Amino acid sequence: MVENYLRSTGFYHISCIGFIKEFYPLLAALVQRRRPETHTFVLPVGEVTVTLEDVAHIFGLPIDGEPVSDWTDSSSDFLQSQSIAIFGGKPIVNSSSKSLYEAGLGSRYQRRRAIGYRGVFKRYVRCQIFCLLGSTLFTNNSTAYAHAKYLSLLRDFERIHTYSWGPACLEHLYKTLCRASRYDTKEMDGALNLLFVWAWERLPCIVPVESIPSSAWLSKTIVIFRQEINYIDEFVWRPYEGLIIPDDYMDTLRYVTSLLRYCHLSVSNGILRTK
C-alpha cells in the first residue's frame, strides 16, 4: 500500500535510488568547468548541462503542473499546526534555524506507529517525501533537515503529484552549482545524486564502467579528474535513445515549463516584484 501511495504522488522512483557516495572528486572537477552566466559546463566537446529530460529519467519526478510555491509562515504556530495535520506529531526544529524541520521523522514514525489504517499510510508516505525533499531534492549544508515551507504542499495528499517537482529540483541544482563555482566556496549541496548519474550517463570516458566503482576509480583525486576532463573527446548527447517510453510520458517531455521554486515576493514603490 505504501508503494501504491508513493507511485500516486510521483515519488516512488526517486525513493528507490538510495544514497550514492564517493563522488565528490568527480563533481568538484566538473564544477570548476561551470559557467554561472549560461548554467552550463564548458567541456572540450562543447557546452553541456543537466536538463529536464535528465530529471524525468533519473529521478522520475513530474516535470509539468503547478509551481512548487506557496504562501509561507515562519511562526511557531504555523509549524505546529502543519506538522500535526501532516505527520500527526510535533515538529523537531533545527536549533540554529526554526524554519528547518527534521527530515528524518519518517523512519522514527514507522517504528512508533503500527500499520493499521489508510491515514497512517498516507502520513508515513508524507514523511518519506519530506525526507526526500531534505536529503535528495533540495538539500542544504545539513541533509538532516528540510525547510518548513514545503509542509503546506504535502497537506493535501491528492495534490502532491500535481506540482512540478522536477523543474523545482533542477532550479535548486542550478542555484547551488552557481554558488559552488565561486572561488570562495568550499562545499557543494543540491541534488548531487542527479548530477553524478548525469555524468555517469553522459561521460563514459571518465566514469566507471562497472555498476560498482573499483578501488582504483574511488582513489582518483580532483586533480586526476580535472586532467581527464581536459581531454574529453566523447559525450553521449542522447543517452535515453532507444528506451521504450509510454506515450503519455513523452507528452510531459514536450512541455514548456518554468524553473521556479518558491518565488520570493517584494513590494517596491507600490509594485509587486518577484526574484
Side-chain angles (χ1 to χ4, degrees), residues 130-197:
F130 193 69
C131 183
L132 289 169
L133 297 181
S135 64
T136 305
L137 269 69
F138 311 123
T139 60
N140 47 47
N141 293 333
S142 172
T143 56
Y145 292 85
H147 203 285
K149 63 187 177 185
Y150 299 113
L151 289 176
S152 60
L153 302 181
L154 304 181
R155 186 157 186 167
D156 187 345
F157 192 88
E158 309 305 323
R159 290 187 61 191
I160 294 176
H161 75 282
T162 66
Y163 294 105
S164 52
W165 298 103
C169 175
L170 188 59
E171 181 273 340
H172 183 68
L173 177 64
Y174 281 3
K175 181 179 179 180
T176 55
L177 288 178
C178 288
R179 183 168 61 246
S181 63
R182 293 166 46 183
Y183 73 93
D184 57 345
T185 302
K186 304 300 182 183
E187 296 180 348
M188 288 188 295
D189 54 17
L192 298 183
N193 280 3
L194 173 64
L195 182 59
F196 179 72
V197 177

Coordinates of all heavy atoms in Angstrom, one line a residue, residues 130-197:
F130 N 8.9 14.1 2.5 CA 9.5 15.2 3.2 C 11.0 14.9 3.4 O 11.9 15.8 3.3 CB 8.9 15.5 4.5 CG 9.3 16.9 5.1 CD1 8.9 18.0 4.5 CD2 10.0 16.9 6.3 CE1 9.3 19.3 5.0 CE2 10.4 18.1 6.8 CZ 10.0 19.3 6.2
C131 N 11.3 13.7 3.8 CA 12.7 13.3 3.9 C 13.5 13.4 2.6 O 14.6 13.8 2.6 CB 12.8 11.8 4.5 SG 14.4 11.2 4.8
L132 N 12.8 13.0 1.5 CA 13.5 13.1 0.2 C 13.7 14.5 -0.2 O 14.7 14.9 -0.8 CB 12.6 12.4 -0.9 CG 12.6 10.9 -0.8 CD1 11.5 10.3 -1.7 CD2 13.9 10.3 -1.2
L133 N 12.8 15.4 0.2 CA 12.9 16.8 -0.1 C 14.2 17.4 0.5 O 14.9 18.2 0.0 CB 11.7 17.6 0.3 CG 10.4 17.3 -0.4 CD1 9.3 18.2 0.1 CD2 10.5 17.4 -1.9
G134 N 14.4 17.0 1.8 CA 15.5 17.5 2.5 C 16.9 16.8 2.2 O 17.9 17.4 2.3
S135 N 16.8 15.5 1.9 CA 18.0 14.7 1.7 C 18.5 14.6 0.2 O 19.6 14.2 0.0 CB 17.9 13.4 2.3 OG 16.9 12.6 1.6
T136 N 17.6 14.8 -0.7 CA 17.9 14.5 -2.1 C 17.6 15.7 -3.1 O 18.4 16.0 -3.9 CB 17.1 13.2 -2.6 OG1 17.4 12.2 -1.7 CG2 17.6 12.9 -4.0
L137 N 16.4 16.2 -3.0 CA 15.9 17.2 -4.0 C 16.5 18.6 -3.6 O 17.1 19.3 -4.5 CB 14.4 17.3 -4.1 CG 13.8 16.4 -5.1 CD1 13.9 14.9 -4.7 CD2 12.3 16.7 -5.2
F138 N 16.2 19.1 -2.4 CA 16.5 20.5 -2.0 C 17.4 20.5 -0.9 O 17.2 21.1 0.2 CB 15.2 21.2 -1.7 CG 14.2 21.1 -2.8 CD1 12.9 20.6 -2.5 CD2 14.4 21.4 -4.1 CE1 11.9 20.5 -3.4 CE2 13.4 21.3 -5.1 CZ 12.2 20.8 -4.7
T139 N 18.6 19.8 -1.0 CA 19.5 19.7 0.2 C 20.2 21.0 0.4 O 20.4 21.9 -0.5 CB 20.5 18.6 -0.1 OG1 21.3 19.0 -1.3 CG2 19.9 17.3 -0.3
N140 N 20.6 21.2 1.7 CA 21.4 22.3 2.1 C 22.6 21.8 2.8 O 23.0 20.6 2.5 CB 20.6 23.3 3.0 CG 19.9 22.6 4.1 OD1 20.5 21.7 4.8 ND2 18.6 22.9 4.3
N141 N 23.3 22.6 3.6 CA 24.5 22.1 4.2 C 24.2 20.9 5.2 O 25.1 20.1 5.5 CB 25.2 23.2 5.0 CG 25.7 24.3 4.1 OD1 26.1 24.0 2.9 ND2 25.8 25.5 4.6
S142 N 23.0 20.8 5.6 CA 22.7 19.7 6.5 C 21.5 18.9 5.9 O 20.4 19.4 5.8 CB 22.3 20.2 7.9 OG 21.8 19.1 8.7
T143 N 21.7 17.7 5.5 CA 20.7 16.9 4.9 C 19.7 16.3 5.9 O 18.8 15.5 5.6 CB 21.2 15.7 4.0 OG1 22.1 14.9 4.9 CG2 22.0 16.3 2.9
A144 N 20.0 16.6 7.2 CA 19.1 16.1 8.3 C 17.9 16.9 8.4 O 16.9 16.5 9.1 CB 19.9 16.0 9.6
Y145 N 17.8 18.1 7.8 CA 16.7 19.0 7.9 C 16.2 19.4 6.6 O 16.9 19.5 5.6 CB 17.0 20.2 8.8 CG 17.3 19.9 10.2 CD1 18.6 19.5 10.6 CD2 16.3 20.0 11.2 CE1 18.9 19.2 12.0 CE2 16.6 19.7 12.5 CZ 17.8 19.3 12.9 OH 18.1 19.1 14.2
A146 N 14.9 19.6 6.5 CA 14.2 20.2 5.3 C 13.5 21.5 5.7 O 13.1 21.6 6.8 CB 13.3 19.2 4.7
H147 N 13.3 22.4 4.7 CA 12.7 23.6 5.0 C 11.2 23.5 5.3 O 10.5 22.7 4.6 CB 12.9 24.6 3.9 CG 12.8 26.0 4.3 ND1 11.6 26.7 4.6 CD2 13.8 27.0 4.6 CE1 11.8 27.9 5.0 NE2 13.1 28.1 5.0
A148 N 10.7 24.2 6.3 CA 9.3 24.0 6.7 C 8.4 24.6 5.6 O 7.2 24.3 5.6 CB 9.1 24.8 8.0
K149 N 8.9 25.4 4.7 CA 8.0 25.9 3.6 C 7.3 24.9 2.8 O 6.3 25.1 2.1 CB 8.7 26.9 2.8 CG 9.9 26.3 2.0 CD 10.7 27.4 1.3 CE 11.9 26.9 0.5 NZ 12.7 28.0 0.0
Y150 N 8.0 23.7 2.7 CA 7.4 22.6 1.9 C 6.2 21.8 2.6 O 5.6 21.0 1.9 CB 8.5 21.6 1.5 CG 9.6 22.2 0.7 CD1 10.9 22.3 1.3 CD2 9.4 22.7 -0.6 CE1 11.9 22.9 0.6 CE2 10.5 23.3 -1.3 CZ 11.7 23.3 -0.7 OH 12.7 23.9 -1.4
L151 N 6.0 22.1 3.8 CA 5.0 21.4 4.6 C 3.6 21.6 4.0 O 2.8 20.6 3.8 CB 5.0 21.8 6.0 CG 6.2 21.4 6.9 CD1 6.1 22.0 8.3 CD2 6.2 19.8 7.0
S152 N 3.3 22.8 3.6 CA 1.9 23.1 3.1 C 1.7 22.4 1.8 O 0.5 22.1 1.5 CB 1.7 24.6 2.9 OG 2.7 25.1 2.0
L153 N 2.7 22.0 1.0 CA 2.5 21.4 -0.2 C 2.2 19.9 0.0 O 1.7 19.2 -1.0 CB 3.7 21.5 -1.1 CG 4.2 22.9 -1.4 CD1 5.4 22.9 -2.3 CD2 3.1 23.7 -2.1
L154 N 2.4 19.4 1.2 CA 2.1 18.0 1.4 C 0.8 17.7 2.2 O 0.4 16.6 2.4 CB 3.2 17.4 2.3 CG 4.7 17.5 1.7 CD1 5.7 16.8 2.7 CD2 4.8 16.8 0.3
R155 N 0.1 18.8 2.5 CA -1.1 18.7 3.4 C -2.2 18.0 2.6 O -2.8 17.1 3.1 CB -1.5 20.1 3.8 CG -2.7 20.0 4.8 CD -2.7 21.2 5.7 NE -3.7 21.1 6.8 CZ -3.8 21.9 7.8 NH1 -3.0 22.9 7.9 NH2 -4.8 21.7 8.7
D156 N -2.4 18.4 1.4 CA -3.5 17.8 0.5 C -2.8 16.7 -0.2 O -2.1 16.9 -1.2 CB -4.1 18.8 -0.4 CG -5.3 18.2 -1.2 OD1 -5.5 17.0 -1.2 OD2 -6.0 19.0 -1.8
F157 N -3.0 15.4 0.2 CA -2.3 14.3 -0.3 C -2.6 14.1 -1.8 O -1.7 13.7 -2.6 CB -2.7 13.0 0.4 CG -1.8 11.8 0.1 CD1 -0.7 11.6 0.8 CD2 -2.2 10.9 -0.9 CE1 0.1 10.5 0.5 CE2 -1.4 9.9 -1.2 CZ -0.2 9.6 -0.5
E158 N -3.8 14.4 -2.2 CA -4.3 14.2 -3.6 C -3.6 15.2 -4.6 O -3.7 15.0 -5.8 CB -5.8 14.3 -3.7 CG -6.5 13.3 -2.7 CD -6.1 11.9 -2.8 OE1 -5.8 11.4 -4.0 OE2 -6.0 11.2 -1.8
R159 N -3.0 16.3 -4.0 CA -2.4 17.3 -4.9 C -0.9 17.2 -5.0 O -0.3 17.9 -5.8 CB -2.8 18.7 -4.4 CG -4.3 19.1 -4.6 CD -4.5 20.5 -4.2 NE -3.7 21.4 -5.0 CZ -3.6 22.7 -4.8 NH1 -4.1 23.3 -3.7 NH2 -2.9 23.5 -5.6
I160 N -0.3 16.3 -4.3 CA 1.2 16.2 -4.3 C 1.7 16.0 -5.7 O 2.7 16.6 -6.1 CB 1.6 15.1 -3.3 CG1 1.3 15.5 -1.8 CG2 3.1 14.9 -3.4 CD1 1.6 14.4 -0.8
H161 N 1.0 15.1 -6.4 CA 1.5 14.8 -7.8 C 1.3 15.9 -8.8 O 1.8 15.8 -9.9 CB 0.8 13.5 -8.3 CG -0.6 13.7 -8.7 ND1 -1.6 13.8 -7.8 CD2 -1.1 13.8 -9.9 CE1 -2.7 14.0 -8.5 NE2 -2.5 14.0 -9.8
T162 N 0.5 16.9 -8.4 CA 0.2 17.9 -9.4 C 1.3 19.0 -9.4 O 1.2 19.9 -10.3 CB -1.2 18.6 -9.0 OG1 -1.1 19.3 -7.8 CG2 -2.3 17.6 -8.9
Y163 N 2.2 19.0 -8.5 CA 3.3 20.0 -8.5 C 4.4 19.6 -9.4 O 4.8 18.4 -9.5 CB 3.8 20.2 -7.1 CG 2.8 20.8 -6.2 CD1 2.1 20.1 -5.2 CD2 2.4 22.2 -6.3 CE1 1.2 20.6 -4.3 CE2 1.5 22.7 -5.4 CZ 0.8 21.9 -4.5 OH -0.1 22.5 -3.6
S164 N 5.1 20.6 -10.0 CA 6.2 20.3 -10.9 C 7.5 20.2 -10.1 O 8.3 21.1 -10.2 CB 6.3 21.4 -12.0 OG 6.3 22.7 -11.4
W165 N 7.7 19.1 -9.5 CA 8.8 18.9 -8.6 C 10.1 18.8 -9.4 O 11.2 19.2 -8.9 CB 8.7 17.6 -7.8 CG 7.5 17.6 -6.9 CD1 6.3 17.0 -7.0 CD2 7.4 18.3 -5.6 NE1 5.5 17.2 -6.0 CE2 6.1 18.0 -5.1 CE3 8.3 19.1 -4.9 CZ2 5.7 18.5 -3.8 CZ3 7.9 19.6 -3.6 CH2 6.6 19.3 -3.1
G166 N 10.0 18.3 -10.6 CA 11.2 18.2 -11.5 C 11.9 19.5 -11.8 O 13.1 19.7 -11.5
P167 N 11.2 20.5 -12.4 CA 11.8 21.8 -12.6 C 12.3 22.5 -11.3 O 13.3 23.2 -11.4 CB 10.6 22.6 -13.2 CG 9.7 21.6 -13.9 CD 9.8 20.4 -12.9
A168 N 11.5 22.3 -10.2 CA 12.0 22.9 -9.0 C 13.3 22.3 -8.5 O 14.2 23.0 -8.0 CB 10.9 22.7 -7.9
C169 N 13.5 21.0 -8.7 CA 14.7 20.3 -8.3 C 15.9 20.8 -9.2 O 17.0 21.1 -8.7 CB 14.5 18.8 -8.5 SG 16.1 17.9 -8.2
L170 N 15.6 21.0 -10.5 CA 16.6 21.5 -11.4 C 17.0 22.9 -11.1 O 18.2 23.3 -11.2 CB 16.1 21.4 -12.9 CG 17.1 21.6 -14.0 CD1 18.3 20.7 -13.9 CD2 16.5 21.5 -15.3
E171 N 16.0 23.7 -10.8 CA 16.3 25.1 -10.4 C 17.2 25.2 -9.2 O 18.2 26.0 -9.1 CB 15.0 25.9 -10.1 CG 15.2 27.3 -9.7 CD 15.4 27.6 -8.2 OE1 15.1 26.7 -7.4 OE2 15.9 28.6 -7.9
H172 N 17.0 24.3 -8.2 CA 17.8 24.3 -7.0 C 19.2 23.8 -7.3 O 20.2 24.4 -6.8 CB 17.1 23.4 -6.0 CG 17.9 23.3 -4.7 ND1 17.9 24.4 -3.8 CD2 18.6 22.3 -4.1 CE1 18.6 24.1 -2.7 NE2 19.1 22.8 -2.9
L173 N 19.3 22.8 -8.2 CA 20.6 22.4 -8.6 C 21.4 23.5 -9.3 O 22.6 23.7 -9.0 CB 20.5 21.1 -9.5 CG 21.8 20.6 -10.1 CD1 22.7 20.1 -8.9 CD2 21.6 19.5 -11.1
Y174 N 20.8 24.2 -10.2 CA 21.5 25.3 -10.9 C 21.9 26.3 -9.9 O 23.1 26.8 -10.0 CB 20.5 25.9 -11.9 CG 20.3 25.2 -13.2 CD1 20.9 24.0 -13.4 CD2 19.6 25.7 -14.2 CE1 20.8 23.3 -14.6 CE2 19.4 25.1 -15.4 CZ 20.0 23.9 -15.6 OH 19.8 23.2 -16.8
K175 N 21.1 26.6 -9.0 CA 21.4 27.7 -8.0 C 22.6 27.2 -7.1 O 23.5 28.0 -6.9 CB 20.2 27.9 -7.1 CG 20.4 29.0 -6.0 CD 19.1 29.2 -5.2 CE 19.3 30.3 -4.1 NZ 18.1 30.5 -3.3
T176 N 22.6 26.0 -6.7 CA 23.7 25.5 -5.8 C 25.0 25.4 -6.6 O 26.1 25.6 -6.0 CB 23.3 24.2 -5.1 OG1 23.0 23.2 -6.2 CG2 22.1 24.4 -4.2
L177 N 24.9 25.0 -7.9 CA 26.1 24.9 -8.7 C 26.7 26.3 -8.9 O 28.0 26.4 -9.0 CB 25.8 24.2 -10.0 CG 25.5 22.7 -9.9 CD1 25.2 22.1 -11.3 CD2 26.7 21.9 -9.4
C178 N 25.9 27.3 -9.1 CA 26.4 28.6 -9.3 C 27.1 29.1 -8.0 O 28.2 29.7 -8.1 CB 25.3 29.6 -9.6 SG 24.6 29.4 -11.2
R179 N 26.6 28.7 -6.9 CA 27.2 29.1 -5.6 C 28.5 28.3 -5.4 O 29.6 28.8 -5.0 CB 26.3 28.8 -4.4 CG 26.9 29.2 -3.1 CD 25.8 29.2 -2.0 NE 25.2 27.9 -1.8 CZ 23.9 27.7 -2.1 NH1 23.1 28.6 -2.6 NH2 23.4 26.4 -1.9
A180 N 28.5 27.0 -5.8 CA 29.7 26.1 -5.6 C 30.8 26.5 -6.6 O 32.0 26.3 -6.3 CB 29.3 24.7 -5.9
S181 N 30.5 27.2 -7.7 CA 31.5 27.6 -8.7 C 32.3 28.8 -8.2 O 33.3 29.2 -8.9 CB 30.9 27.8 -10.0 OG 30.0 28.8 -10.0
R182 N 31.9 29.5 -7.2 CA 32.6 30.7 -6.7 C 33.9 30.3 -6.1 O 34.0 29.2 -5.4 CB 31.7 31.4 -5.7 CG 30.5 32.1 -6.3 CD 29.5 32.5 -5.3 NE 30.1 33.3 -4.2 CZ 29.4 33.7 -3.1 NH1 28.1 33.5 -3.0 NH2 30.0 34.4 -2.2
Y183 N 34.9 31.1 -6.2 CA 36.2 30.8 -5.7 C 36.3 30.7 -4.2 O 37.1 30.0 -3.7 CB 37.2 31.8 -6.2 CG 37.1 33.2 -5.5 CD1 37.9 33.4 -4.3 CD2 36.2 34.1 -5.9 CE1 37.8 34.7 -3.7 CE2 36.1 35.3 -5.3 CZ 36.9 35.6 -4.2 OH 36.8 36.8 -3.5
D184 N 35.4 31.3 -3.5 CA 35.4 31.3 -2.0 C 34.5 30.3 -1.4 O 34.3 30.3 -0.2 CB 35.0 32.7 -1.5 CG 33.7 33.2 -2.0 OD1 33.1 32.6 -2.9 OD2 33.1 34.1 -1.4
T185 N 33.9 29.4 -2.2 CA 33.0 28.4 -1.7 C 33.8 27.0 -1.7 O 34.4 26.6 -2.6 CB 31.8 28.2 -2.6 OG1 31.1 29.5 -2.7 CG2 30.8 27.2 -2.1
K186 N 33.7 26.4 -0.5 CA 34.4 25.1 -0.3 C 33.6 23.9 -0.3 O 34.0 22.8 -0.3 CB 35.2 25.2 1.0 CG 36.1 26.4 1.2 CD 37.2 26.4 0.1 CE 38.2 27.5 0.3 NZ 39.2 27.6 -0.8
E187 N 32.2 24.1 -0.3 CA 31.3 22.9 -0.2 C 30.3 22.9 -1.3 O 30.0 24.0 -1.9 CB 30.6 22.9 1.2 CG 31.5 22.8 2.4 CD 30.7 22.8 3.7 OE1 29.5 23.1 3.6 OE2 31.3 22.4 4.7
M188 N 29.7 21.8 -1.6 CA 28.6 21.6 -2.6 C 27.4 21.0 -1.9 O 27.5 20.2 -1.0 CB 29.0 20.7 -3.7 CG 30.1 21.3 -4.6 SD 30.3 20.2 -6.1 CE 31.0 18.8 -5.3
D189 N 26.2 21.5 -2.3 CA 25.0 20.8 -1.9 C 24.1 20.8 -3.1 O 24.5 21.1 -4.2 CB 24.4 21.5 -0.7 CG 24.1 23.0 -0.9 OD1 24.2 23.4 -2.1 OD2 23.9 23.7 0.1
G190 N 22.8 20.5 -2.9 CA 21.9 20.4 -4.0 C 21.7 18.9 -4.4 O 22.1 18.0 -3.7
A191 N 21.0 18.6 -5.5 CA 20.7 17.3 -5.9 C 22.0 16.6 -6.6 O 22.0 16.4 -7.8 CB 19.6 17.3 -6.9
L192 N 23.0 16.3 -5.7 CA 24.2 15.8 -6.2 C 24.1 14.4 -6.8 O 24.8 14.0 -7.7 CB 25.3 15.8 -5.1 CG 25.6 17.2 -4.6 CD1 26.7 17.1 -3.5 CD2 26.0 18.2 -5.7
N193 N 23.1 13.6 -6.3 CA 22.8 12.3 -6.9 C 22.5 12.5 -8.4 O 22.9 11.7 -9.2 CB 21.7 11.6 -6.2 CG 22.1 11.0 -4.9 OD1 23.3 11.1 -4.5 ND2 21.2 10.3 -4.2
L194 N 21.7 13.5 -8.7 CA 21.2 13.7 -10.0 C 22.4 14.1 -10.9 O 22.6 13.6 -12.0 CB 20.2 14.9 -10.1 CG 19.8 15.4 -11.4 CD1 19.1 14.3 -12.2 CD2 18.9 16.7 -11.3
L195 N 23.3 15.0 -10.4 CA 24.5 15.4 -11.2 C 25.4 14.2 -11.4 O 26.0 14.1 -12.5 CB 25.2 16.5 -10.4 CG 26.4 17.1 -11.1 CD1 26.0 17.7 -12.5 CD2 27.1 18.2 -10.2
F196 N 25.6 13.4 -10.4 CA 26.5 12.2 -10.6 C 26.0 11.3 -11.6 O 26.8 10.8 -12.5 CB 26.7 11.5 -9.2 CG 27.7 10.3 -9.4 CD1 29.0 10.5 -9.6 CD2 27.2 9.1 -9.3 CE1 29.9 9.4 -9.7 CE2 28.0 8.0 -9.4 CZ 29.4 8.2 -9.6
V197 N 24.7 10.9 -11.5 CA 24.1 10.0 -12.5 C 24.2 10.6 -13.9 O 24.4 9.9 -14.9 CB 22.7 9.5 -12.1 CG1 22.1 8.6 -13.2 CG2 22.8 8.8 -10.7

